[in-house]
Amino acid sequence: MTPDERAALRRHMEQELAALRETIAILEGQVDPVAPDAAVGHLSRLDTMQSQAIAGVSLGNSRRRLLRLESALRRVDDADFGECENCGEPIPAARLLAMPESTLCVRCAEQMQTG
Ligand SMILES: [Zn+2]
């Protein structure tokens, strides 16, 4: 990975982190318990509970992604950052941009998935 690629990747991760923190703040607002008088009727209350459940799942996913991104950002200056943990081959920049938290190349990730 060239220093330019590394710098671009770092900027990209910082932007993703900022966006993710905003998403988490919004989702946290949505999973707040509904005050009883906020519900107009039974259906709308069910509706609200359903969207809360969905927001809760998204919130969990976003928080996990945030942790992975933060840890990737801490490692971005390491000499071996961007190398596959399994085979040591460089992970393609496009994959790192799409999923900065990747620690495996596509081939190894697929192998792990299929067992
Ligand atoms: Zn690999």
Side-chain angles (χ1 to χ4, degrees):
M1 188 184 305
T2 68
D4 276 358
E5 280 174 342
R6 205 180 285 261
L9 196 59
R10 172 202 288 277
R11 274 199 303 277
H12 176 76
M13 284 195 281
E14 281 166 352
Q15 281 164 7
E16 287 261 306
L17 271 174
L20 206 51
R21 288 201 180 98
E22 272 177 38
T23 305
I24 288 172
I26 292 167
L27 288 173
E28 277 172 346
Q30 288 175 3
V31 295
D32 275 350
V34 193
D37 57 348
V40 180
H42 180 67
L43 272 179
S44 67
R45 175 149 180 86
L46 265 183
D47 232 32
T48 310
M49 283 165 63
Q50 206 162 43
S51 1
Q52 275 184 333
I54 295 165
V57 171
S58 309
L59 185 60
N61 289 338
S62 301
R63 281 182 174 151
R64 275 190 292 279
R65 175 125 213 268
L66 183 79
L67 290 178
R68 287 199 299 265
L69 269 171
E70 280 175 343
S71 115
L73 195 59
R74 276 196 297 273
R75 289 182 289 108
V76 73
D77 286 322
D78 292 357
D80 62 356
F81 181 80
E83 285 174 11
C84 174
E85 267 183 0
N86 189 50
C87 69
E89 289 292 315
I91 301 172
R95 176 168 168 80
L96 284 172
L97 277 173
M99 279 176 58
E101 65 272 36
S102 321
T103 54
L104 295 170
C105 70
V106 181
R107 203 175 39 145
C108 291
E110 277 172 3
Q111 274 172 9
M112 301 258 167
Q113 265 172 15
T114 54

